[in-house]
Amino acid sequence: SQQGEEDPQALSIQEGENATMNCSYKTSINNLQWYRQNSGRGLVHLILIRSNEREKHSGRLRVTLDTSKKSSSLLITASRAADTASYFCATASSGGSNYKLTFGKGTLLTVNP
Amino acid sequence: DGGITQSPKYLFRKEGQNVTLSCEQNLNHDAMYWYRQDPGQGLRLIYYSQIVNDFQKGDIAEGYSVSREKKESFPLTVTSAQKNPTAFYLCASSILGSPLHFGNGTRLTVT
C-alpha cells in the first residue's frame, strides 16, 4: 500500500523560480522524509521532519509538516536546472518492533534553463 | 568510500527462470530493504531485514525470496512465480530509524 501521495505529478518551471510539492498521507507517522531521484538512479535522502516538528530548512529546501491535515510540503527556492529530478515523500511508521518506510508516487520536476 | 553496490546494472532473463539480484553494503547498517519501482510509480517494498538471519515480507513479497546470512549482503531472488518481474529494483540500507541509503538499482527485463 502507498501511504504518501505527491501533488502535482509533474511540475515544469523556469530556472530561478520556486518549486512547491505537496504530500498527503493517511495514517499516523513517526517522521516524514523527502528523497530525490535522478533518472535511472537510486534515491538520495534530502530531509527528514519528525512528527513533532512543523518546519525544517536545509539550504534551499524548506519542508513543512501539518499532522492535523496529514500533509507535508517541500519548497525548493531559486531552482536550478540541476534540480530536475523526481521527488518522493516517504512516511515512516512503526508497528511493534518493525520499522517501515512507505513511498509515494513522486513529483517529476523539470527546471528549464 | 562507503556505500551500497547493486549488481548487475542491467539483467535480462527468459520467462520461467529464477534470477538473483545482488546487494552489498559497507556502511555497517543493520537494516536492509528491497523495493520495486515501475515506470511512473513510486517504490513498493518487497522485503526488509533489520538484523542478520531475520527478514520480513513487505507489501509485494509474492514471487520473491531473500536471505540475510551476512550483515553486508541482502540478495533478492525473483522466482518464476512472480507474474510481472520486469521492473527497476532498488536496494537500500539504514541504521534503524534513520534515512535510507540507496544503491543505483538493477533494471531487470524478463522476456
Side-chain angles (χ1 to χ4, degrees), chain A residues 35 37 42-43 97 99 101 104, chain B residues 35 37 42 50 59 100 102-104:
Chain A
Y35 289 79
Q37 183 182 34
L43 280 71
S97 60
Y99 175 82
L101 201 59
Chain B
Y35 287 90
Q37 186 177 31
Q50 296 180 334
D59 300 317
L100 272 56
F102 281 86
N104 278 322

Side-chain angles (χ1 to χ4, degrees), chain A residues 6 17 35 40 42 46 48 67 69 73 78 81-82 91 94 96 99 104 108:
Chain A
E6 290 90 344
E17 294 180 340
Y35 289 79
L46 295 175
L48 179 154
T67 52
K69 295 181 179 178
S73 67
T91 51
S94 59
Y99 175 82
L108 176 59

